[in-house]
Amino acid sequence: MTKVKTVAVAGSGTMGTGIAIVAARAGFRTIVFDTRQDALDRARGQTEAFLRKSVARGKLSVEDLDAILGRWSSTTKLEDLASGDVVIEAVFEDLRVKHELFSALDRVCAADTIFASNTSTISITEIAGGSGRPDRFVGMHFCLPAQLMKLIEMSPGLETSDDTWQRAWEFALQMGQQPVKTKDTPGFILNYFLIPYNNDAIRLVEAGVAEPAEIDRAIRTALGYPMGPLELLDLVGMDTQRLLCEAMHGLTNEDRAACPPLVKRMIAAKRLGKKTGHGFHRYTDTKMFGA
Ligand SMILES: NC(=O)c1ccc[n+]([C@@H]2O[C@H](COP(=O)([O-])OP(=O)(O)OC[C@H]3O[C@@H](n4cnc5c(N)ncnc54)[C@H](O)[C@@H]3O)[C@@H](O)[C@H]2O)c1
C-alpha cells in the first residue's frame, strides 16, 4: 500500500485553499493546481494570512509556519500533479468540468493515485464514471471553512475498491480530520440537514416572524451553535445557497430543499451576504478568509 506523501489539490477557490492548508499543515507536500494564476496568488495570500493569524493566536510556531509554506506550492500546469499520491478536486460544481479534469488527470497521474472529489451535491459514482478509474475514486466532502472544520464526509462510489476506501480513510485521519462514512446520496449528512434548516430560517424572515438578529440569537442561545442560521447564510452566500437548493431539490424533489423566493430577490439586490457587505446582516469587513 503506497503511503501518501504528496497531496494535489485541484481548484484553489474557497474550498481548495482551505483543504491545501489542512494537507500542508499535516505534513504533506501539497501542490495546488488552478487554471487561473490570480486564483493561485489569492490562495497563497490567504494561506499566509491565515497561518500568520494562527501564530498571533499562539496556535502555531513561526518555525511551523515556515515549514508549512515550504511544503505548499502551486501550478497552472496539470502535469505538475503527476507526483500526487492523492488528488482532491475542488473545482466548480459542474459535472462536465469535473469529468474533463479527472480524465486529463488520469493520463497524468500514477495508476495507484487516489482521486477524491469535494463535491457537495453531485453523485460520487457519476463523477467517478468519467474519471477513468472509478475503483480508485472516493468522495471527501470537507466543510467550510475547511482549515478550521474537522469533519470530512467520506463516501464510496459504487465501484470504489476496498483498498482505495481504506487508504483514503487512513489519509483523512493522517490529515488530523474526523471522517464520517456516508452513502453517496444528495447532500450526504450535513447538507441534507443544513440546506432545509437554512431555508426554514429564511422562511421565518419572509413571514416576518422575527428580525434576522433575533432568529440568530434564539438559535445560538437555545442550541448552542456558534452562529445563527442567517449569519451562516451570509457566509455561504445567497448565490451558493440558491445553487445548493436547486441541486438538492432537483435530485430529491423534496419541498424542504426548494429555494425560498427571498433568496432570489436578495441575489437580484446584490445582497449576497458578507462578500457584498450586505445579506441578512450588514458588514464593513467583506474579506472572507481571515486575510
Ligand atoms: N463553498 C462551500 O461551502 C463548499 C463546501 C463543501 C464543498 N464544496 C464544493 O467544493 C467545490 C469547490 O467549491 P468552492 O466554493 O471552493 O468554489 P470556488 O468557485 O470558490 O473555486 C473553484 C476554483 O476552481 C477553479 N477551477 C475551475 N475549473 C477548473 C479546472 N478545470 N481546473 C482547475 N481549476 C479549476 C476556479 O478557477 C476556482 O478558483 C465544489 O464542488 C463545491 O460543491 C463547496
Side-chain angles (χ1 to χ4, degrees):
M1 197 185 286
T2 320
K3 200 171 175 308
V4 176
K5 293 195 188 79
T6 301
V7 177
V9 178
S12 67
T14 309
M15 292 307 295
T17 301
I19 293 168
I21 291 174
V22 172
R25 195 172 49 193
F28 296 102
R29 186 172 157 250
T30 304
I31 311 168
V32 186
F33 164 72
D34 204 288
T35 45
R36 293 175 48 176
Q37 185 60 46
D38 63 331
L40 292 170
D41 294 342
R42 196 177 55 232
R44 177 74 185 196
Q46 290 175 335
T47 300
E48 287 180 6
F50 174 76
L51 295 175
R52 274 198 300 271
K53 225 178 199 178
S54 302
V55 171
R57 288 183 177 157
K59 292 185 174 168
L60 194 71
S61 69
V62 176
E63 293 73 34
D64 284 344
L65 177 147
D66 290 339
I68 294 168
L69 290 177
R71 287 191 287 270
W72 190 105
S73 64
S74 68
T75 183
T76 53
K77 294 195 198 85
L78 193 78
E79 310 81 77
D80 290 343
L81 303 191
S83 58
D85 300 306
V86 175
V87 180
I88 305 174
E89 169 273 314
V91 303
F92 297 140
E93 187 74 333
D94 179 317
L95 183 60
R96 196 182 48 81
V97 174
K98 291 184 193 288
H99 274 171
E100 277 174 19
L101 173 72
F102 277 121
S103 64
L105 279 167
D106 188 45
R107 293 190 287 276
V108 163
C109 294
D112 62 353
T113 298
I114 293 176
F115 286 176
S117 177
N118 182 51
T119 181
S120 302
T121 50
I122 306 173
S123 154
I124 298 302
T125 305
E126 228 176 322
I127 304 173
S131 72
R133 54 179 80 189
D135 54 327
R136 285 151 287 160
F137 200 103
V138 71
M140 291 184 83
H141 183 242
F142 290 72
C143 303
L144 178 74
Q147 69 278 14
L148 296 177
M149 303 290 277
K150 289 285 173 203
L151 176 68
I152 306 182
E153 291 173 304
M154 305 255 315
S155 320
L158 282 180
E159 299 297 319
T160 304
S161 71
D162 291 344
D163 174 62
T164 299
W165 177 255
Q166 204 184 320
R167 283 171 62 203
W169 187 270
E170 278 170 21
F171 165 61
L173 292 173
Q174 282 162 7
M175 280 196 296
Q177 297 296 105
Q178 291 176 16
V180 167
K181 185 176 181 184
T182 93
K183 216 172 121 180
D184 175 19
T185 62
F188 305 116
I189 300 167
L190 192 66
N191 279 331
Y192 187 78
F193 151 81
L194 208 53
I195 293 168
Y197 159 83
N198 284 339
N199 283 346
D200 279 346
I202 297 165
R203 292 188 188 109
L204 286 178
V205 176
E206 267 177 339
V209 172
E211 290 299 316
E214 296 294 291
I215 296 170
D216 282 336
R217 199 156 58 85
I219 299 293
R220 268 193 268 109
T221 308
L223 300 184
Y225 294 173
M227 245 183 247
L230 302 161
E231 292 168 305
L232 177 63
L233 271 161
D234 277 355
L235 275 190
V236 171
M238 297 320 130
D239 47 349
T240 303
Q241 178 69 6
R242 180 181 182 165
L243 291 177
L244 288 170
C245 287
E246 285 173 354
M248 196 167 145
H249 188 245
L251 289 165
T252 64
N253 215 18
E254 291 177 2
D255 289 346
R256 61 203 280 281
C259 187
L262 179 59
V263 172
K264 294 173 193 169
R265 291 208 300 278
M266 288 176 72
I267 293 170
K270 298 199 170 44
R271 292 191 189 181
L272 299 186
K274 191 166 186 223
K275 60 187 159 190
T276 58
H278 194 182
F280 288 102
H281 304 282
R282 283 188 182 273
Y283 303 86
T284 45
D285 173 10
T286 55
K287 293 192 192 93
M288 294 295 290
F289 204 93

